[in-house]
Amino acid sequence: MTVRCRSRGLRAGLIGGCLALAALVGCGGGASRPSPAAAAEALTAVVGALPEGLEVLFFEPRGGAAAAWIVRHPYRWRPHEAADHRHATLPVDTFMNLVTATARGTVEPGQPAEQACRYTEWGPEAAADGTRRLVRIYQLVTDRGEVTVLETLPDPANG
């Protein structure tokens, strides 16, 4: 009888532990992924009209003004042309690691067609609600088109 109780307790503990782990990692009734239309709408709110042919590969709202997108476009895309921005050149490995980390391995960007990726950062005008955000863009041309990782963060200068 004691052995039987222990095995039930162990079984119940294992089942409970598995359910807790599933809830923790997002299985079951957690929040669902935003639709492609919602992802495009959120990106449009940050950069304005999206060019024809732009494909949203990944979108993750991160709360408040923070979010991340990975997009692909057949040609060079410059969403920051009208903004006061700064540029840097970074190694291709930095870009590839960022794509993997951001999308947790769910996006395959393709083979790099350039020796370095472009990094751009800017702080756009305040939104209608008065919040400002910092925008970071990493871009690399691959054999599948130009892939862009775009992140928005709350503007640290706004406290």
Side-chain angles (χ1 to χ4, degrees):
M1 185 84 162
T2 306
V3 172
R4 194 171 208 186
C5 290
R6 282 186 182 165
S7 68
R8 281 186 192 160
L10 180 60
R11 188 175 337 141
L14 285 174
I15 291 171
C18 288
L19 290 175
L21 180 60
L24 181 65
V25 298
C27 298
S32 62
R33 284 222 177 266
S35 70
E41 183 179 325
L43 183 57
T44 299
V46 174
V47 299
L50 302 179
E52 188 70 31
L54 184 119
E55 176 186 11
V56 177
L57 304 175
F58 176 84
F59 171 56
E60 178 181 60
R62 295 179 174 169
W69 294 262
I70 298 176
V71 300
R72 181 177 295 135
H73 191 265
Y75 309 105
R76 291 214 186 263
W77 178 47
R78 298 293 176 257
H80 50 71
E81 288 184 68
D84 183 21
H85 56 274
R86 70 179 190 90
H87 292 280
T89 301
L90 301 172
V92 169
D93 288 347
T94 300
F95 181 85
M96 300 303 266
N97 291 337
L98 180 63
V99 169
T100 300
T102 300
R104 293 174 277 304
T106 61
V107 172
E108 174 52 49
Q111 294 299 311
E114 298 178 311
Q115 298 299 314
C117 82
R118 291 166 313 284
Y119 171 78
T120 307
E121 179 182 296
W122 89 89
E125 294 300 314
D129 64 0
T131 60
R132 290 181 50 91
R133 60 185 131 208
L134 180 65
V135 179
R136 294 180 179 167
I137 299 175
Y138 304 81
Q139 296 177 296
L140 179 71
V141 174
T142 74
D143 61 350
R144 296 181 182 179
E146 183 178 67
V147 178
T148 300
V149 177
L150 190 143
E151 297 177 301
T152 57
L153 305 165
D155 185 350
N158 271 358

